[in-house]
Amino acid sequence: MLDLTPKEVSERSALRINPLKTCQPVGAMYAALGVHNCMPHSHGSQGCCSFHRMFLTRHFKDPAIASSSSFTEGASVFGGGSNLKTAIKNIFDIYDPDIIAVHTTCLSETIGDDLVTYINDAKIPEGKFVVHTNTPSYVGSHITGFSNMITGLIKYLSENTGIKNGKLALFPGFVNPGDMREMKKIMTLMGVNFTMLPDTSGVMDAPMTGTYSMYPKGGTKIQEIIDLGNCEMSLGLGELTSSMPAEFLDTKCKVPYQTLPLPIGVELTDQYVMALNRFSKNEVPYALEEERGQLVDILLDSHQYTQNKKVAIFGDPDTVLGLAQFALELGMIPKYLATGTPGKFFEEKANALFEKFDAEGCIAKGNMDLFELHQWIKNDGVDLLIGGTHGKYVAKAEDIPLVRAGFPIVDRYVHSYLPIVGYKGGMRLAEMILNTLMDRQDRDCADEDMEMIM
Amino acid sequence: MNSREKVLDKYSSKIYKNRKEHVIEIENGEPNIIAADTRAIPGILTNRGCCYAGCKGVVLGPLKDVVQIVHGPIGCSYYTWGTRRHKSKHDETTKNFSEYCFSTDMQETDIVFGGEKKLKKAIKEAVEIFNPACIMIASTCPVGLIGDDIHAVAAEAEELYGIKVVAFSCEGYKGVSQSGGHHIANNGLMKNIIGTGDADHVKYSINLLGEYNIGGDGWEIGRVLKRIGYNIVSVMTGDGSYAEMKNAHIADLNLVQCHRSINYIAEMLKTKYGTEWLKVNFIGLEGIKQSLRDVAAFFNDPDLTAKTEAVIADEEDEIKVTMSEFKTKLEGKTAAVYVGGSRTHHYINLLKSLGVEVVLGGYEFAHRDDYEGRQILPLKMDADSKNIESITVEKDPAKFRTFHTPERIQELKDAGLPIESYEGLWADISPDAMITDDFNHFETEEFIKLLKPDIFFSGIKDKYVVQRSGIPSRQLHSYDYSGPYAGFKGAVNFARDVTLAVNTPAWELVQAPWKTEPTLEGSIGGME
């Protein structure tokens, strides 16, 4: 497995090997799927759209619908205006969404298609919407595309009418439907009136009913997105992912904002709850206090199995930072933190975290790939890997157990239904980490050392 | 109104005009002309991919000893990383890069100032780290637009490092589907690799063309062929390698499994090296038996023929009971089969042997000859596909070699051997089937409602749409991570998987009891 990966790390500035990121449009597609009755539309050649739908379908084991402008060579040379206009007409005629959310690809971005003009010229049925965002694949990563699409929705739709609605606008970050449900549960428990954008719960984890519905029950409603401009404030979870839309909503509609890390583990969930508490002025209910206490109880009960274990965490920047903090709360050493998404912010945040917990000998690197992470591990190993499916090859090659968390997980089921955020998500993560480490102990120990009780 | 009219009727007149040529009913005695290989309608939710996917994802991807650098932003490379299940194995002499994903990860500055410099650097880094025998470069959408000359970069690198470096201009917008990419890959392999080896001819030697070893298909086919006594020179390209492909010209015969993706190479091998090709189908018992007998008839060696019959009898014997058990569970069911460019046809005989009839089917990107048969060739190219380079090759005087005389070939053709011939889907599809070319989401949903197939075979994008409609769905691209499905043993795997899909206990749990049973008050609750 991965036999050709040498131990010596060589300087690479051009060849990317085994990336820890993918391109913008898939993030935009995922965000658009979190809008109710929305058709995500990929303005480019159709291969992108098929790849992105595949990627999402494989992660969620659920349909991921999206249409494409299906560029031909002619359109690529002379512009994709008529392709987009034809697509908009056909989509409304045949698939009847309430809104089409257009994103771009490296093709339409390179030729410089002017989407604002195209959309203005398009025939849009009464009461229907077409919005767009620019998602050049050669900038940032899928995380950037996700942020761009939310920002695009706000840009087109949100309005400040001057009448406050008493709501909190919540940007959940690039997380699973299970996480979004957990974030909503906590807001509800805290008595917070909110709009979450996007909300893929009920869309990418829709139930089996025997009848297929192209637009499932979930998703943020258009009216709610419009009304985002009247929110009291916005809270962006996942600072790298959610800052852009939060800032933009402030710029456009004067909605003040705060950003926080993804609420993974005890302290980061505390921060989320405290922010909600400040917003709602409601007391934290016992139900949450109980969950928190249970999680801390679990960490104390099981500490000996996790403490001082070295872990490499890889994936999307906000997720990795949240998981790193939780690993530190478990007494683990987050030796390597790696993300493929470019940006200095990730390393700054990670280093601050290492400092806060006095964690020595830990390295964080953005704009990095799994090939290099594997090389680091070859040189100085870890006890555990936490990340997405691609890590399983490194796990097998180096015989290190892997806990799957983040994107993409394309080789396991159920994961997207359940949270890793909140106290409840912390319990689930703790269980996964403990089970993995303890299974390993059972597997590796001598027969005479097998423990009945652990 | 029949189901075809019912579905087409829901389209606007403009789309109706386009789609009516692609949605047809098979009827006995009719010529059954279909429109295919034309551009997809924007916004219609086609299932198609792009030229890059056809070139790098399909044809080049399985070549295990090649470092395949995707020149473009990260997505294209990422999505072809481990996603198509072309299996491959290491051996002592061949490096295997299948677990890796290589990209130039183009950034904005590369788009603005050109990406050639970065590509050169990426090749240098690949050579330094991996020392491969061959590097291939696949271009993506922006590369053609910004004018990077990847062929010049490849030529320079080949010179510089003394290894084979081949570039493929398979920008995603070229052609109308994956199909253009197959053609571009075929051209590049033929021009640069096939025939460059110096291996000696061996007896009973064959190439297996258009077999990508999904879930181990090629290995299962190879097992049986080797058992009979054939020598497999190269497989294009499942578990294939640059090392083997160089010598593909020395084989006596080419077996073509996937006609769509590899017929260009098959034709060019015939012109340049004199090697005949035979259309085969190693999926389904009838297909396999016919194919093995055809190959034996070509070689016309009594020992091979006897061994062929002995192996067939033995293999068939081994699976007979199991297959008939599965048949009792599937008999009488109907199926929809929507795959890329060849499997729809290949699976018909296997399904038939299990008592399942195909009532609905089609291809993403097949051409008219895949539907109607090669006798309709040559086809007129439309404006969207004209730009796919079509190369001509000349007879290679040094290496040209014919196994049979032209007279003997004609005799074999007259005897019914599918030499240089393919009859297409029409030869085997049921007379009542509904066919849609470049099938889209709308038509899939509508035909499901109207024709109610018991099982649906297609790809990942459809799978959960169909399943949620209450119909068992199996993927015929990825085999739902199972396989092999080809060969004798593959037939059993397929029959088992389909039987499991149809009989999953959870199907009985779909309706919540309160939707159908009277509540305590005695009224029907929750019915819509």
Side-chain angles (χ1 to χ4, degrees):
Chain A
M1 190 59 58
L2 298 172
D3 293 341
L4 302 169
T5 304
K7 197 173 166 187
E8 315 79 66
V9 180
S10 53
E11 191 61 38
R12 268 186 294 130
S13 62
L15 185 66
R16 175 69 70 202
I17 315 171
N18 297 355
L20 280 172
K21 65 169 178 188
T22 182
C23 62
Q24 282 208 38
V26 73
M29 187 183 283
Y30 180 51
L33 286 165
V35 176
H36 186 62
N37 277 348
C38 176
M39 177 69 82
H41 182 82
S42 170
H43 185 56
S45 58
Q46 69 214 6
C48 312
C49 186
S50 279
F51 276 147
H52 299 143
R53 293 179 63 197
M54 263 186 230
F55 175 83
L56 294 174
T57 302
R58 284 173 172 150
H59 177 87
F60 295 104
K61 315 293 182 197
D62 250 23
I65 55 149
S67 53
S68 167
S69 291
S70 292
F71 272 56
T72 56
E73 187 153 14
S76 306
V77 177
F78 301 112
S82 76
N83 288 57
L84 184 62
K85 275 177 260 178
T86 308
I88 288 171
K89 183 183 184 322
N90 291 340
I91 294 162
F92 281 126
D93 277 0
I94 303 168
Y95 297 112
D96 195 33
D98 290 339
I99 178 169
I100 298 171
V102 183
H103 61 260
T104 57
T105 68
C106 46
L107 171 52
S108 52
E109 286 296 326
T110 304
I111 65 173
D113 262 1
D114 179 4
L115 268 75
V116 176
T117 307
Y118 296 164
I119 291 170
N120 282 337
D121 291 351
K123 281 200 191 71
I124 301 167
E126 190 65 32
K128 304 273 182 177
F129 299 87
V130 177
V131 304
H132 101 278
T133 189
N134 295 91
T135 50
S137 312
Y138 44 76
V139 176
S141 74
H142 57 295
I143 296 296
T144 323
F146 183 81
S147 306
N148 278 335
M149 179 47 86
I150 304 167
T151 310
L153 286 159
I154 295 169
K155 193 173 187 176
Y156 272 83
L157 298 173
S158 302
E159 281 172 31
N160 181 345
T161 60
I163 306 154
K164 287 281 176 202
N165 60 18
K167 284 172 139 187
L168 174 72
L170 190 94
F171 303 110
F174 200 110
V175 294
N176 279 320
D179 297 311
M180 296 185 189
R181 285 179 192 274
E182 186 63 19
M183 289 171 181
K184 290 196 287 185
K185 182 195 92 181
I186 294 173
M187 283 191 281
T188 305
L189 280 170
M190 289 298 299
V192 171
N193 198 0
F194 62 88
T195 294
M196 177 186 271
L197 177 72
D199 183 359
T200 58
S201 67
V203 181
M204 298 313 289
D205 63 354
M208 174 67 185
T209 58
T211 317
Y212 170 73
S213 166
M214 190 162 208
Y215 309 107
K217 287 186 175 158
T220 316
K221 303 232 163 40
I222 295 169
Q223 206 49 53
E224 293 175 322
I225 304 174
I226 295 171
D227 201 33
L228 276 181
N230 294 320
C231 283
E232 303 289 333
M233 71 167 279
S234 80
L235 180 57
L237 299 181
E239 291 161 294
L240 281 104
T241 314
S242 298
S243 292
M244 193 204 293
E247 274 173 34
F248 187 81
L249 185 62
D250 187 11
T251 310
K252 185 181 175 192
C253 301
K254 304 283 168 282
V255 178
Y257 72 94
Q258 186 190 354
T259 56
L260 284 176
L262 283 179
I264 298 176
V266 183
E267 204 191 318
L268 298 182
T269 305
D270 288 348
Q271 288 182 16
Y272 176 49
V273 172
M274 292 295 283
L276 298 177
N277 175 265
R278 280 192 294 273
F279 177 78
S280 71
K281 313 280 190 293
N282 291 331
E283 239 177 89
V284 180
Y286 179 68
L288 270 178
E289 220 171 281
E290 188 181 46
E291 276 186 6
R292 184 185 189 280
Q294 288 171 328
L295 176 57
V296 176
D297 194 48
I298 289 165
L299 301 192
L300 287 166
D301 292 348
S302 61
H303 72 94
Q304 62 180 352
Y305 297 100
T306 54
Q307 222 159 333
N308 289 333
K309 288 278 191 297
K310 285 177 278 182
V311 58
I313 308 172
F314 53 91
D316 298 333
D318 287 315
T319 313
V320 171
L321 289 170
L323 291 167
Q325 162 106 22
F326 186 51
L328 285 160
E329 290 173 354
L330 286 163
M332 303 176 87
I333 302 163
K335 199 171 164 61
Y336 308 126
L337 302 183
T339 187
T341 298
K344 279 271 163 271
F345 190 81
F346 172 76
E347 288 166 31
E348 284 166 20
K349 282 277 163 188
N351 288 331
L353 193 62
F354 298 150
E355 207 162 302
K356 185 178 146 191
F357 280 83
D358 268 334
E360 281 178 19
C362 299
I363 325 170
K365 192 172 171 186
N367 198 17
M368 181 180 175
D369 57 37
L370 199 51
F371 184 78
E372 187 174 1
L373 179 63
H374 186 189
Q375 291 182 312
W376 289 2
I377 289 168
K378 273 180 180 294
N379 284 286
D380 197 358
V382 291
D383 303 301
L384 185 72
L385 303 171
I386 304 180
T389 291
H390 291 106
K392 81 186 210 179
Y393 293 84
V394 177
K396 183 160 178 155
E398 304 304 324
D399 195 25
I400 301 168
L402 167 68
V403 166
R404 286 167 179 77
F407 277 84
I409 299 172
V410 290
D411 64 335
R412 291 294 185 270
Y413 292 76
V414 195
H415 58 87
S416 59
Y417 294 80
L418 300 174
I420 60 167
V421 302
Y423 304 120
K424 212 58 188 195
M427 289 184 217
R428 178 169 170 250
L429 268 178
E431 187 183 17
M432 289 196 291
I433 291 169
L434 284 162
N435 283 353
T436 306
L437 290 169
M438 294 166 86
D439 280 348
R440 184 54 62 122
Q441 182 180 325
D442 287 343
R443 192 196 82 172
D444 291 349
C445 71
D447 287 1
E448 62 274 24
D449 292 331
M450 187 75 154
E451 293 295 337
M452 177 71 191
I453 300 149
M454 291 168 87
Chain B
M1 213 193 288
N2 66 16
S3 59
R4 174 179 180 266
E5 284 159 13
K6 277 183 193 160
V7 172
L8 290 173
D9 222 48
K10 296 191 181 176
Y11 282 133
S12 67
S13 59
K14 207 171 159 191
I15 297 182
Y16 175 86
K17 215 175 134 204
N18 177 309
R19 291 302 298 164
K20 74 176 168 47
E21 312 286 333
H22 296 264
V23 180
I24 67 159
E25 270 177 297
I26 298 294
E27 286 162 58
N28 275 335
E30 295 290 316
N32 291 321
I33 291 166
I34 193 164
D37 190 33
T38 63
R39 67 168 71 169
I41 298 170
I44 203 151
L45 273 85
T46 171
N47 269 278
R48 282 177 174 176
C50 66
C51 184
Y52 160 83
C55 179
K56 197 280 179 182
V58 172
V59 181
L60 307 181
L63 293 167
K64 59 187 172 186
D65 58 349
V66 178
V67 166
Q68 299 181 26
I69 301 175
V70 178
H71 188 37
I74 199 67
C76 303
S77 182
Y78 186 88
Y79 299 115
T80 52
W81 177 22
T83 48
R84 191 161 168 270
R85 301 181 56 240
H86 41 74
K87 288 184 172 257
S88 58
K89 262 192 271 213
H90 301 236
D91 58 39
E92 307 80 51
T93 54
T94 316
K95 286 183 180 166
N96 188 346
F97 294 102
S98 305
E99 289 147 10
Y100 296 88
C101 163
F102 304 98
S103 168
T104 54
D105 191 4
M106 286 174 100
Q107 300 297 303
E108 199 154 24
T109 46
D110 304 314
I111 301 294
V112 176
F113 301 111
E116 285 180 24
K117 227 170 101 184
K118 194 173 192 185
L119 177 60
K120 284 181 198 175
K121 189 108 200 293
I123 294 170
K124 182 171 185 278
E125 290 171 359
V127 170
E128 284 166 359
I129 300 171
F130 300 105
N131 189 26
C134 177
I135 291 179
M136 291 180 185
I137 302 153
S139 60
T140 63
C141 287
V143 172
L145 303 170
I146 64 173
D148 273 1
D149 188 347
I150 59 169
H151 299 275
V153 172
E156 189 190 301
E158 184 160 315
E159 181 84 359
L160 198 60
Y161 304 113
I163 58 167
K164 182 61 85 179
V165 185
V166 188
F168 295 83
S169 291
C170 54
E171 285 83 354
Y173 54 75
K174 285 190 174 164
V176 297
S177 68
Q178 290 94 313
S179 182
H182 302 148
H183 199 162
I184 288 165
N186 277 226
N187 292 347
L189 296 176
M190 193 67 201
K191 273 195 288 195
N192 299 288
I193 295 177
I194 294 167
T196 59
D198 51 11
D200 294 327
H201 170 254
V202 284
K203 215 176 168 192
Y204 309 136
S205 57
I206 53 174
N207 293 313
L208 197 47
L209 305 190
E211 167 47 59
Y212 301 101
N213 201 30
I214 306 300
D217 274 356
W219 290 332
E220 171 58 12
I221 296 167
R223 181 185 67 81
V224 175
L225 289 168
K226 283 175 203 159
R227 225 188 130 184
I228 292 170
Y230 297 108
N231 290 305
I232 299 172
V233 178
S234 76
V235 182
M236 294 184 201
T237 49
D239 195 29
S241 65
Y242 162 69
E244 280 179 3
M245 189 184 279
K246 285 191 292 189
N247 295 310
H249 63 288
I250 65 166
D252 295 325
L253 178 65
N254 292 317
L255 310 187
V256 171
Q257 173 71 22
C258 173
H259 173 261
R260 182 67 270 136
S261 65
I262 214 82
N263 76 88
Y264 315 99
I265 283 179
E267 284 290 284
M268 289 188 278
L269 279 170
K270 157 94 173 141
T271 310
K272 192 167 178 184
Y273 301 110
T275 330
E276 298 291 344
W277 66 268
L278 203 59
K279 178 70 183 83
V280 291
N281 177 21
F282 289 113
I283 292 157
L285 265 53
E286 293 312 310
I288 303 166
K289 288 193 285 186
Q290 186 63 52
S291 296
L292 292 177
R293 284 172 180 146
D294 287 345
V295 181
F298 179 87
F299 283 98
N300 197 29
D301 176 308
D303 289 346
L304 271 183
T305 307
K307 195 69 202 286
T308 300
E309 292 306 325
V311 168
I312 288 174
D314 186 49
E315 295 277 343
E316 211 177 0
D317 196 49
E318 201 177 308
I319 64 169
K320 210 163 49 191
V321 177
T322 324
M323 285 301 277
S324 67
E325 278 168 15
F326 287 127
K327 186 175 180 179
T328 59
K329 291 180 179 142
L330 296 171
E331 181 97 62
K333 297 203 182 293
T334 59
V337 189
Y338 278 125
V339 209
S342 75
R343 286 194 177 93
T344 304
H345 185 186
H346 290 152
Y347 277 79
I348 289 175
N349 83 85
L350 176 51
L351 286 164
K352 215 181 265 177
S353 72
L354 292 163
V356 179
E357 190 192 356
V358 177
V359 293
L360 176 61
Y363 290 120
E364 281 176 45
F365 50 74
H367 298 194
R368 279 185 58 201
D369 45 321
D370 303 296
Y371 288 101
E372 300 173 37
R374 277 181 74 91
Q375 72 281 357
I376 63 160
L377 293 175
L379 294 165
K380 205 169 161 272
M381 282 288 142
D382 76 2
D384 293 320
S385 294
K386 264 201 316 226
N387 48 28
I388 305 292
E389 183 196 25
S390 188
I391 60 168
T392 46
V393 292
E394 303 289 324
K395 183 170 168 175
D396 183 326
K399 294 174 180 162
F400 191 89
R401 186 175 64 86
T402 51
F403 192 80
H404 287 303
T405 61
E407 295 73 30
R408 176 72 186 137
I409 291 294
Q410 194 53 51
E411 274 172 38
L412 290 170
K413 281 183 181 173
D414 292 344
L417 225 57
I419 294 175
E420 260 192 293
S421 108
Y422 175 47
E423 287 184 287
L425 178 65
W426 286 183
D428 293 298
I429 191 86
S430 150
D432 306 313
M434 177 72 61
I435 301 294
T436 73
D437 171 72
D438 182 17
F439 61 102
N440 59 52
H441 181 102
F442 171 76
E443 288 162 12
T444 303
E445 264 203 85
E446 293 299 309
F447 279 124
I448 282 178
K449 285 182 206 151
L450 291 164
L451 302 175
K452 300 183 176 62
D454 297 306
I455 320 157
F456 203 97
F457 297 99
S458 66
I460 186 67
K461 298 194 294 296
D462 291 338
K463 180 183 171 79
Y464 300 103
V465 170
V466 172
Q467 183 176 295
R468 201 152 281 163
S469 310
I471 295 170
S473 172
R474 289 290 304 178
Q475 296 180 61
L476 270 194
H477 296 272
S478 74
Y479 305 163
D480 281 285
Y481 329 112
S482 177
Y485 282 175
F488 290 98
K489 292 191 194 304
V492 177
N493 292 338
F494 176 80
R496 177 203 61 214
D497 288 348
V498 176
T499 308
L500 290 177
V502 171
N503 295 304
T504 309
W507 285 119
E508 302 300 322
L509 304 172
V510 172
Q511 284 304 323
W514 51 88
K515 294 276 183 189
T516 48
E517 280 174 26
T519 62
L520 288 174
E521 286 76 32
S523 63
I524 303 286
M527 293 290 282
E528 286 180 327

